Amino acid sequence: MNNPLLRKLANFTALSKEESRAVVDACKDTREVAAHEDVIAQGDRTGGVKLLLEGFACRYKTLEDGRRQIVAFFVPGDLCDLRVFILKRMDHSIGAIASSRVATISPDNVLTLMRNYPTLTTALWWSTLVEEAIAREWILNVGQRNALERMAHLFCELLYRFRAVGLNQGMSCTLPLTQVELAESLGLSSVHVNRTLQALRRRKLITLDAGTLTLRDLPALEELSLFNPEYLHLDYTAGKTRDAARDA
């Protein structure tokens, strides 16, 4: 399956060849987006649902004085809100953090998929519920966890999400984030982010080099951050021990 959305949905259910082909056909309107360029900006007409096919992106809000909060990261296979086409204009922005390839699924195609393929519809609702679960966990992260726990939790989450679409390399995954972007996602200052990264490195828990994150001790990071992958609702963890899931 070359389409990362199909790889993601495979964590929930097996789609038929017809359903898979319908998804691929709905994703043919694609464009390249340069790093730090908006995929779609707040106030733009929605026009359809954005699907990240390649790269790394974020959802963000900006205050009038320029301060920015990143409220979600997107890995390949992520839909940037399945229901957004119902709105006339965007109330937030989607930005590419690295060079990315994005598909736009038109409103008509979204409705056609849901009308014709009930199993696929259920899988897409699962994807939406996972997005909402991640959003709840991010709120908990910035509201209750300390800096070390926040960063460790984010790193664990991203590895699991990249692994769910087959884009990890063992315990490594891409992470093309600056310290400023990490600060904007974790609710910390850039100085605090630097200190926290150094603390994780000193404990030999991570390496972060040239845009690649490696979790050197996943069990220790999960324990440190009180990370439980159940909120990601990934089938490869169902019925397995935590240790077996880590080795998958």
Side-chain angles (χ1 to χ4, degrees), residues 166-179:
L167 293 176
N168 63 307
Q169 301 81 40
M171 287 293 152
S172 298
C173 63
T174 185
L175 191 69
L177 291 171
T178 65
Q179 291 189 14

Side-chain angles (χ1 to χ4, degrees), residues 56-231:
F56 196 69
C58 69
R59 187 196 317 275
Y60 71 90
K61 295 275 290 185
T62 305
L63 296 176
E64 292 183 0
D65 62 4
R67 285 176 291 167
R68 185 172 81 152
Q69 180 71 39
I70 292 175
V71 297
F73 286 127
F74 297 110
V75 306
D78 284 345
L79 292 159
C80 304
D81 196 335
L82 182 62
R83 302 157 296 190
V84 74
F85 71 90
I86 296 172
L87 304 176
K88 291 183 178 180
R89 295 187 181 274
M90 294 290 292
D91 59 18
H92 61 275
S93 299
I94 306 294
I97 290 174
S99 297
S100 300
R101 187 162 65 94
V102 177
T104 299
I105 306 175
S106 71
D108 286 345
N109 278 335
V110 174
L111 295 174
T112 297
L113 289 174
M114 293 185 171
R115 182 168 56 246
N116 294 340
Y117 304 104
T119 299
L120 175 58
T121 298
T122 303
L124 291 171
W125 287 143
W126 166 84
S127 176
T128 297
L129 289 170
V130 170
E131 291 171 15
E132 293 175 353
I134 291 171
R136 288 190 291 270
E137 199 68 28
W138 275 46
I139 293 170
L140 179 63
N141 214 30
V142 299
Q144 294 298 326
R145 292 187 176 95
N146 63 35
L148 207 61
E149 293 167 343
R150 290 182 200 183
M151 188 173 291
H153 194 278
L154 175 63
F155 290 167
C156 290
E157 177 188 293
L158 288 173
L159 178 67
Y160 272 84
R161 290 171 63 189
F162 273 108
R163 188 161 63 183
V165 289
L167 293 176
N168 63 307
Q169 301 81 40
M171 287 293 152
S172 298
C173 63
T174 185
L175 191 69
L177 291 171
T178 65
Q179 291 189 14
V180 170
E181 289 163 338
L182 273 173
E184 290 172 336
S185 64
L186 295 173
L188 302 171
S189 70
S190 297
V191 171
H192 206 164
V193 163
N194 183 274
R195 291 172 180 166
T196 306
L197 280 171
Q198 295 306 320
L200 291 174
R201 288 175 172 133
R202 282 195 303 272
R203 295 190 186 193
K204 301 187 184 304
L205 296 176
I206 68 154
T207 58
L208 182 57
D209 183 51
T212 297
L213 170 70
T214 300
L215 306 191
R216 299 175 62 185
D217 192 339
L218 178 58
L221 280 168
E222 290 183 339
E223 184 176 358
L224 170 65
S225 62
L226 304 176
F227 181 86
N228 186 330
E230 290 182 3
Y231 72 96

Side-chain angles (χ1 to χ4, degrees), residues 4-26:
L5 176 58
L6 292 178
R7 294 198 297 270
K8 178 178 179 178
L9 296 180
N11 288 281
F12 174 73
T13 191
L15 298 178
S16 69
K17 290 183 179 179
E18 182 181 355
E19 290 166 329
S20 298
R21 187 166 53 250
V23 170
V24 171
D25 288 344

